[in-house]
Every structure is written in C-alpha cells, then in structure tokens.
C-alpha cells in the first residue's frame, strides 16, 4: 500500500526557454531529472510549498510563481516508504544562473546529485528519465502559446 503525499514543483524557465532541472537518484525509479520541489508541509498550499521548496533547493527568493502548468501523480519510494505523490507544477520565469547560498543540506536529504539548465532541444532529445515524462511537450506548448491556457491534468503516470 502506498501512502498519499502532496507535493509541488516549479518549472523555472530562462529567457531562451531553457528549464532548470535537478538530477535525483531514487532507490525505486533510479536516476531521473525533475524540477525543484517536494512535499507539502502540514497546512501549506501548493503555492506556498512550491515557493519554499524552490528557496530551499536553489536559494532563489526573487521569482514569482506563475500559473499551474500541470498536475500529475506517480509512485515511488521516499526514505523507504512507498508513496503515491500528487504534484502541482507551477511555472516561473527568471534569469539563467547558478544556485545561491548553501543548499547542500537540502540536496543531501533529497539525493539531488546536481542541477543544470536544459535548452529546449536538449530536453526534447534526451533519453534520460524525466519527471513528468511529458515535460518536453508541456514546455513546448508554453513556448508556442506564451502560457498554458489551463493546467494540464496528466493523471497517474507509471514510473
């Protein structure tokens, strides 16, 4: 049985359309790339959790959250506990830059190996696992229209 877990992430896009992703290593699904984010604390809204996680994992405090890009759910094991994670993914726009401050404790706790900016062509061509796997298409739609018309509900996506 999997424990339900609420989470929020942020797709940070630079002016050229590149997205910032972290490389994670998870015991169940292995190495994959995902946006900054994580579990919601008790009483937090998805927006509050997304902003807090972005700050804790990147040190960036000056980005305004935009609309919800998508929602999705997936299964994985976190700290030895099987979870079904329900995620809200928000858009944000900012400059291309490195991490700010000391974020090493957050990275160690979440098994973040490193971060990098992914230009659209690299993201579309990668064979690396992405969370969610539909991320290249979702971001291509944002670039084509300027913003999503409505949040996309991806539903459950198997690992």
């Amino acid at each position: 049985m999997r424990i339900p877990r609420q989470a929020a992430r942020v797709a940070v896009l630079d002016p050229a359309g590149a997205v910032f992703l972290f490389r994670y290593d998870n015991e169940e699904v292995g190495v994959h790339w995902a946006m900054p984010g994580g579990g919601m604390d008790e009483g937090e809204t998805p927006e509050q959790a997304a902003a807090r996680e972005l700050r804790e994992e990147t040190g960036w405090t000056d980005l305004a959250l935009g609309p919800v890009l998508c929602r999705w759910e997936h299964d994985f094991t976190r700290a030895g506990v099987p979870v079904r994670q329900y995620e809200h993914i928000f858009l944000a726009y900012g400059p291309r830059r490195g991490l700010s401050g000391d974020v090493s404790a957050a990275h160690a706790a979440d098994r973040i190996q490193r971060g990098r900016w992914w230009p659209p062509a690299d993201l579309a061509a990668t064979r690396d696992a992405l969370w969610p796997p539909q991320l290249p298409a979702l971001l291509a739609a944002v670039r084509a229209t300027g913003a999503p018309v409505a949040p996309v509900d991806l539903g459950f996506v198997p690992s």
Side-chain angles (χ1 to χ4, degrees):
M1 177 165 164
R2 294 194 176 266
I3 305 297
R5 182 174 192 250
Q6 298 290 321
R9 296 192 179 279
V10 184
V12 179
L13 301 176
D14 78 0
V19 64
F20 185 81
L21 300 177
F22 283 124
R23 181 181 163 118
Y24 291 84
D25 186 6
N26 176 268
E27 62 197 64
E28 181 179 358
V29 296
V31 173
H32 60 281
W33 293 88
M35 292 145 285
M40 293 170 52
D41 289 341
E42 185 71 32
E44 273 187 321
T45 66
E47 294 87 351
Q48 291 167 332
R52 176 185 49 77
E53 288 283 344
L54 183 65
R55 181 183 66 251
E56 289 174 359
E57 294 181 351
T58 66
W60 303 336
T61 59
D62 59 341
L63 301 181
L65 293 182
V68 173
L69 172 65
C70 70
R71 291 182 290 273
W72 74 304
E73 57 189 87
H74 58 103
D75 293 342
F76 73 105
T77 299
R78 185 181 192 298
V81 177
V83 300
R84 170 145 308 165
Q85 184 151 293
Y86 301 86
E87 291 188 7
H88 286 76
I89 298 176
F90 293 87
L91 283 171
Y93 296 90
R96 186 181 205 133
R97 60 184 158 183
L99 303 175
S100 296
D102 184 5
V103 294
S104 60
H107 289 203
D110 291 335
R111 300 182 71 176
I112 295 172
Q113 297 178 329
R114 65 185 173 94
R116 72 167 269 210
W117 289 93
W118 287 77
D122 291 358
L123 191 67
T126 188
R127 293 181 184 255
D128 291 352
L130 300 171
W131 279 14
Q134 301 89 337
L135 186 61
L138 290 167
L139 294 179
V142 169
R143 286 189 305 278
T145 63
V149 175
V152 176
D153 188 348
L154 300 174
F156 177 75
V157 178
S159 298

